[in-house]
Amino acid sequence: MALYSIWKARGSWRFIRALHKGPEAAPAPQKGAVKRVFSGIQPTGIPHLGNYLGAIESWVRLQDDHGPVLYSIVDLHSITVPQDPAGLRQSILDVTAALLACGINPEKSILFQQSQVSEHTQLSWILTCMVRLPRLQHLHQWKAKTAKQKHDGAVGLLMYPVLQAADVLLYKSTHVPVGEDQVQHMELVQDLARGFNKKYGEFFPVPTSILTPPELRAAASRLGQRQRSSPGSV
């Protein structure tokens, strides 16, 4: 499984190079057309039913309806909180196996490990140099999480929305399936794409959010809360 993940990551790297080959700018996507879908999931253990309803089910549907689609196990995002290295490596394998078991098909989508593609952090640094500190400090999730940590949040927690933007823009993604809690972060992604294009010429499509239906969001939230309170439940 580990060798397979590395092989897919190398394929993703070649895919990135092909995307950015030559000086041509990315054409603006036609309204309503799904051209390239990207989404990511943190390796926080074996996904529960709330994860399936909130994200994975739509991933399976999108890979059947559209192409190309890219799904990433975003392990760099998970280290904004302390991680045991051996435990994290196992979680990456567990999530990979769970996604394949839930219907993610390597013949229809690209499934890869974020940290195996160094361009994610390279683009993240470029975008970091374009964003103002107050913009990040006013994001709802940053304020909520630092309030719980008594304003002792790590810098990685503050900067991870910029890494999210790099994840999306690196592949010139046009559509991103997100939950309602990520809408504000998607607005940052869109603003960074517009700012980059204004400064350096049209290069990144401005991606559009694909929101999880309200009824699924509610069910996923209830199941996620139940899972956190009862670790042994399904």
Side-chain angles (χ1 to χ4, degrees), residues 15 19 24-39 62-63 65-71 108-110 168 171-177 203-210:
F15 182 69
L19 283 176
E24 281 190 59
Q30 295 178 357
K31 185 177 180 180
V34 175
K35 290 193 173 183
R36 183 170 295 123
V37 175
F38 175 90
S39 193
L62 286 168
Q63 75 173 3
D65 295 343
H66 308 290
V69 292
L70 298 97
Y71 299 136
K108 297 180 178 180
S109 60
I110 296 175
V168 172
Y171 301 98
K172 296 185 176 178
S173 309
T174 57
H175 291 74
V176 183
F203 189 74
F204 292 122
V206 178
T208 300
S209 298
I210 302 175

Side-chain angles (χ1 to χ4, degrees), residues 96-127:
T96 302
L99 290 173
L100 294 173
C102 287
I104 298 302
N105 185 349
E107 299 300 321
K108 297 180 178 180
S109 60
I110 296 175
L111 176 62
F112 67 101
Q113 184 179 338
Q114 178 194 34
S115 62
Q116 294 293 320
V117 184
S118 60
E119 285 85 350
H120 283 260
T121 51
Q122 293 169 8
L123 180 56
S124 178
W125 175 247
I126 294 171
L127 298 178

Side-chain angles (χ1 to χ4, degrees), residues 99-222:
L99 290 173
L100 294 173
C102 287
I104 298 302
N105 185 349
E107 299 300 321
K108 297 180 178 180
S109 60
I110 296 175
L111 176 62
F112 67 101
Q113 184 179 338
Q114 178 194 34
S115 62
Q116 294 293 320
V117 184
S118 60
E119 285 85 350
H120 283 260
T121 51
Q122 293 169 8
L123 180 56
S124 178
W125 175 247
I126 294 171
L127 298 178
T128 296
C129 295
M130 295 176 57
V131 67
R132 300 293 183 183
L133 182 60
R135 175 70 186 275
L136 299 178
Q137 291 175 320
H138 281 86
L139 293 174
H140 297 321
Q141 284 203 357
W142 163 253
K143 291 192 288 188
K145 289 180 179 179
T146 51
K148 292 179 181 178
Q149 299 176 19
K150 298 181 179 179
H151 301 283
D152 194 30
V155 175
L157 189 61
L158 176 68
M159 301 306 300
Y160 96 84
V162 184
L163 180 56
Q164 279 185 321
D167 296 337
V168 172
L169 297 179
L170 182 61
Y171 301 98
K172 296 185 176 178
S173 309
T174 57
H175 291 74
V176 183
V178 294
E180 198 170 37
D181 61 328
Q182 294 293 315
V183 169
Q184 196 178 40
H185 290 178
M186 274 301 297
E187 291 172 353
L188 176 65
V189 177
Q190 293 163 345
D191 288 346
L192 285 170
R194 293 187 188 100
F196 189 98
N197 291 344
K198 183 176 180 180
K199 189 170 185 179
Y200 300 108
E202 291 296 323
F203 189 74
F204 292 122
V206 178
T208 300
S209 298
I210 302 175
L211 289 175
T212 305
E215 60 276 12
L216 288 183
R217 288 202 302 269
S221 177
R222 288 194 299 271

